[in-house]
Amino acid sequence: MGITIRKANTNDFPAIFSLFKEFSHFQKTPEKVLITVDELIEDENFFECLVAEAEHKKVIGFATFFFAYYSWTGR
């Protein structure tokens, strides 16, 4: 099985959201998923996301991250 890691785009957000929900169930905290796919789209400039894509273009994993820069302390 070949896996490709690439930067996510908004077309991936429904699959990523599904993985968010699946992970929250694994963690036994499904009630903590408050975001929606529409909010992910609205917030796309506030975070970065990579996806792991299997053959046939199926998203099977993700990594989200963001950068913060504080006015008093910097990084």
Side-chain angles (χ1 to χ4, degrees):
M1 171 194 282
I3 296 175
T4 303
I5 306 295
R6 63 172 176 77
K7 185 174 179 177
N9 60 60
T10 55
N11 293 330
D12 298 313
F13 287 2
I16 294 165
F17 179 73
S18 179
L19 291 172
F20 286 175
K21 291 191 332 185
E22 188 176 330
F23 185 60
S24 74
H25 283 279
F26 173 78
Q27 293 289 331
K28 297 181 175 58
T29 58
E31 72 282 356
K32 295 204 176 196
V33 178
L34 304 177
I35 197 162
T36 66
V37 173
D38 289 336
E39 289 173 313
L40 283 172
I41 293 167
E42 286 177 31
D43 292 347
E44 71 177 310
N45 293 323
F46 294 104
F47 69 96
E48 298 290 332
C49 184
L50 301 174
V51 292
E53 188 176 73
E55 295 174 10
H56 309 296
K57 307 292 184 190
K58 181 178 180 186
V59 174
I60 59 170
F62 71 92
T64 56
F65 57 97
F66 62 95
F67 299 98
Y69 194 85
Y70 302 99
S71 56
W72 292 3
T73 60
R75 289 179 275 162

